[in-house]
Amino acid sequence: MKALEERILRDGKCFEGGILKVDNFINHQMDPILMKSMAVEFVRRFASTDINKVLTIEASGIAPAIMVGYLLELPVVFAKKSVPNTMQNMLSTSVYSFTKERSYNVCVNRDYIHEGDKILFIDDFLANGNAAKGIIDLVKQADAELVGMGFLIEKAFQHGGDYLREQGIHVESLAIIESLDNCRIKIRH
Ligand code: 5GP
């Protein structure tokens, strides 16, 4: 998606270890106009997909997910990164965080994902695919169906996208980063 690619090239910053910072428009300060355009693009790309629920992971997936849910007029559920002790009836899985270099639990209340739900997962980044694998597990535990996964930015050099596509999952990424070698952002067109 051209507008996102141009914004990444303009405002994105590279960090050691293949990290791209987009704090200026996605991860800290947020650009709602761009966020809306990205959601419109997801709606277009998943137009032929039967969806009844949007799922994401807190925190940075919530903004794009709520925009998609708003446009599709569908409920949006965010998986929580800590298991609240007030919550019973939980589905939970462990996810390894590439940026934080540790594992954490991700959980969703069974009241909000049901058998037969057709789930579109939306997140900010796809890197190694660990968060996505956790979501696949949660959806499976709920006997729901994962009908697609949409990411704002995919880092192709970390190969999570290859894994998901090999599983036959419909993956859409609005910008694909080919490499961040030598702290140069190279976008795949
Ligand atoms: P994965 O689980 O696919 O390895 O990583 C995806 C998660 O890690 C995303 O939800 C995102 O929060 C975080 N992440 C991975 N790579 C980056 C990156 O380069 N920049 C930022 N800001 N977050 C990242």
Side-chain angles (χ1 to χ4, degrees):
M1 183 189 165
K2 201 156 184 286
L4 174 59
E5 292 170 357
E6 286 173 358
R7 191 65 182 268
I8 291 169
L9 291 174
R10 195 179 88 197
D11 290 334
K13 299 211 171 7
C14 284
F15 282 77
E16 282 296 306
I19 306 261
L20 177 66
K21 278 234 171 198
V22 287
D23 279 10
N24 165 294
F25 59 104
I26 292 176
N27 286 139
H28 196 1
Q29 174 170 261
M30 289 183 277
D31 179 342
I33 308 294
L34 179 63
M35 206 60 95
K36 184 201 161 202
S37 307
M38 295 191 288
V40 167
E41 181 64 16
F42 278 134
V43 169
R44 192 183 71 76
R45 294 190 189 196
F46 288 106
S48 59
T49 305
D50 189 14
I51 306 161
N52 79 330
K53 203 164 278 180
V54 179
L55 177 64
T56 187
I57 301 190
E58 67 177 347
S60 45
I62 294 176
I66 196 85
M67 288 272 185
V68 172
Y70 176 76
L71 293 174
L72 294 174
E73 300 188 6
L74 293 175
V76 178
V77 178
F78 64 92
K80 295 186 175 231
K81 280 187 176 165
S82 57
V83 184
N85 49 19
T86 49
M87 244 200 206
Q88 288 154 350
N89 208 18
M90 302 297 294
L91 300 167
S92 135
T93 195
S94 174
V95 168
Y96 179 77
S97 166
F98 162 79
T99 42
K100 298 195 173 77
E101 296 181 340
R102 63 175 174 85
S103 290
Y104 57 93
N105 278 320
V106 169
C107 64
V108 175
N109 192 309
R110 279 182 194 272
D111 290 346
Y112 304 124
I113 312 192
H114 308 128
E115 182 177 347
D117 272 345
K118 293 177 184 304
I119 291 177
L120 173 64
F121 175 70
I122 297 288
D123 205 1
D124 59 343
F125 274 88
L126 171 61
N128 297 292
N130 295 313
K133 284 176 194 167
I135 288 299
I136 293 169
D137 184 37
L138 286 181
V139 171
K140 196 179 284 173
Q141 288 181 45
D143 289 318
E145 187 187 348
L146 185 66
V147 295
M149 301 187 115
F151 301 91
L152 303 180
I153 302 173
E154 173 177 344
K155 294 188 293 179
F157 59 92
Q158 285 169 325
H159 304 294
D162 296 342
Y163 171 81
L164 298 177
R165 292 180 182 98
E166 277 161 19
Q167 304 301 304
I169 296 169
H170 178 183
V171 178
E172 293 287 348
S173 301
L174 303 187
I176 300 183
I177 309 296
E178 187 79 53
S179 89
L180 294 174
D181 292 350
N182 306 316
C183 276
R184 258 197 70 233
I185 303 172
K186 198 168 156 208
I187 290 183
R188 181 186 291 175
H189 295 288

